[in-house]
Amino acid sequence: GFVPNPVVRRTRIPGRRRFMLGGMAAAAALAAPIPRAHAQRDAWPAKPIKLVVGFAPGGFTDGLPRLYAPVLAEKLGQPVVIENKVGAAGNIATTFVATSPADGYTLLASGVGQIVVLPHTSTMSVNPVTDLAHITMVGDGDQILNINAEVPAKNLAEFIALAKAKPGVLNYGDAGAGGNQNLYLEYFKMLAGVDIVGVHYKGGGPLMPDLLQNRVQLSLNAPSVVEPYIAQGKLRPLMIVGKKRSPKMPDVPTCAEAGFPQMEACSNWLGLHAPKGTPNDVVQRIYAAMVETMRSDTVVKGLTSLNVYPIMDTPAAFSARIAKDYELFGKVAKAANVRAE
């Protein structure tokens, strides 16, 4: 027959006492220590957040983070400290963040070239597409395809006709071999079917004098860089590489209006990223705080001066855009044999 285990004693507990003991057990469970991993995550952010920028202070990619960082700090309740890790066209900063602890305390404020261009044109120890958690495209900046005013072409169609009539004679200038300007202009050459020689400079500073003196005829620049020279009649805009015409240049067509809708991919977007493996709830909290940040009056006013449109797409949408751009510019880099020097 059945023999009860002598160690186990079954005791009937009256209903009222059983209820009280159950309540005590529940209270004890609530008072129990939370597992360490959850405690750390729930406490985020418990210390200052480092926002890494791969370019020198004062440039386009550095300007937007400096605008939103103080407001983001208010939203998160912790300082957001910008750290410029300059070099290798942003690769040093990208690698630093990709190899940092995935705890939400080290973020990357990127430019488009770092994420979807340089992996195809340079040797990197990390892959920005797969080794980062993509939080949001913070903003998108238009660019202007422009020529020296001495070039005998009044619009894009005339310039393309001139380039086809003189293959290998005209030059374009960019801010560095293997960078996004270089790749975007090679993409334009493919779409337009023209042979224009690329001249690569060590940054936008050395490029501008040669563009203004007609040593190079064509360039692609952020509006803030060339608008003063366009106003002075030294440069001529051919098209806006973006989705909207510029209020300052209402007669200049967008790339879609000019017959090159594919060039919309060649925008000057800026993103926010964390190391791969950063907890999703932390990523979502950063994203939600950024959405609030970019709606603040301080940031909205500053965006106008930077010629940047706030985007704030979701992590999933931003990741999809990155994958699409990465594929496109991989094909362009291979076809044009574009490499960083």
Side-chain angles (χ1 to χ4, degrees):
F2 171 72
V3 179
N5 185 337
V7 177
V8 178
R9 298 181 63 188
R10 292 172 172 80
T11 306
R12 183 187 173 100
I13 302 174
R16 177 179 169 82
R17 189 173 167 219
R18 187 166 64 244
F19 173 79
M20 291 175 64
L21 288 172
M24 291 168 65
L30 288 172
I34 300 171
R36 184 170 179 79
H38 288 130
Q40 287 180 337
R41 192 180 303 176
D42 291 343
W44 186 94
K47 62 181 182 180
I49 295 162
K50 184 183 298 182
L51 183 58
V52 180
V53 178
F55 301 89
F60 178 75
T61 309
D62 177 79
L64 185 57
R66 291 192 182 276
L67 177 64
Y68 68 70
V71 184
L72 180 62
E74 291 177 12
K75 304 296 182 186
L76 294 176
Q78 288 288 347
V80 176
V81 182
I82 292 179
E83 186 169 313
N84 297 84
K85 289 190 175 294
V86 182
N91 280 351
I92 290 174
T94 304
T95 302
F96 177 83
V97 174
T99 55
S100 291
D103 55 11
Y105 291 105
T106 305
L107 306 177
L108 175 69
S110 75
V112 54
Q114 286 170 271
I115 308 299
V116 298
V117 173
L118 286 172
H120 301 298
T121 62
S122 64
T123 302
M124 298 182 67
S125 58
V126 298
N127 184 334
V129 176
T130 56
D131 293 336
L132 293 170
H134 309 299
I135 300 171
T136 187
M137 183 189 292
V138 180
D140 202 3
D142 291 346
Q143 303 206 73
I144 300 177
L145 188 72
N146 56 91
I147 55 175
N148 183 283
E150 293 178 16
V151 176
K154 299 299 181 186
N155 54 47
L156 183 60
E158 289 185 9
F159 177 77
I160 290 173
L162 178 67
K164 287 183 175 180
K166 298 182 176 182
V169 173
L170 299 177
N171 300 319
Y172 76 75
D174 62 52
N180 50 313
Q181 280 186 341
N182 181 190
L183 209 64
Y184 290 173
L185 285 162
E186 287 296 328
Y187 188 37
F188 168 71
K189 283 171 53 180
M190 292 177 187
L191 295 172
V194 293
D195 177 13
I196 301 173
V197 179
V199 182
H200 314 301
Y201 294 82
K202 299 292 185 182
L207 159 64
M208 288 311 297
D210 278 7
L211 178 62
L212 293 169
Q213 293 173 30
N214 204 25
R215 294 193 182 99
V216 295
Q217 287 71 49
L218 176 73
S219 192
L220 181 68
N221 309 90
S224 58
V225 173
V226 293
E227 280 174 350
Y229 302 111
I230 291 171
Q232 295 167 21
K234 295 178 180 179
L235 297 178
R236 182 175 299 126
L238 298 180
M239 71 176 175
I240 304 294
V241 179
K243 295 181 179 180
K244 299 178 183 177
R245 291 198 181 200
S246 168
K248 298 178 182 178
M249 290 170 271
D251 296 333
V252 181
T254 65
C255 46
E257 292 170 337
F260 296 92
Q262 305 96 320
M263 287 291 290
E264 283 187 5
C266 301
S267 64
N268 216 355
W269 60 251
L270 299 140
L272 185 65
H273 319 258
K276 179 184 177 181
T278 300
N280 185 59
D281 56 340
V282 172
V283 169
Q284 292 297 334
R285 286 183 67 182
I286 298 169
Y287 171 64
M290 280 299 299
V291 171
E292 290 185 26
T293 295
M294 299 304 286
R295 289 174 179 162
S296 70
D297 291 341
T298 305
V299 175
V300 169
K301 290 176 183 176
L303 289 171
T304 305
S305 64
L306 293 171
N307 289 284
V308 173
Y309 305 106
I311 301 297
M312 304 316 301
D313 50 358
T314 63
F318 187 34
S319 297
R321 169 66 186 266
I322 286 172
K324 185 178 179 181
D325 284 0
Y326 182 82
E327 181 181 8
L328 169 62
F329 295 122
K331 292 176 180 177
V332 175
K334 186 175 182 180
N337 193 30
V338 174
R339 294 293 297 174
E341 292 175 348

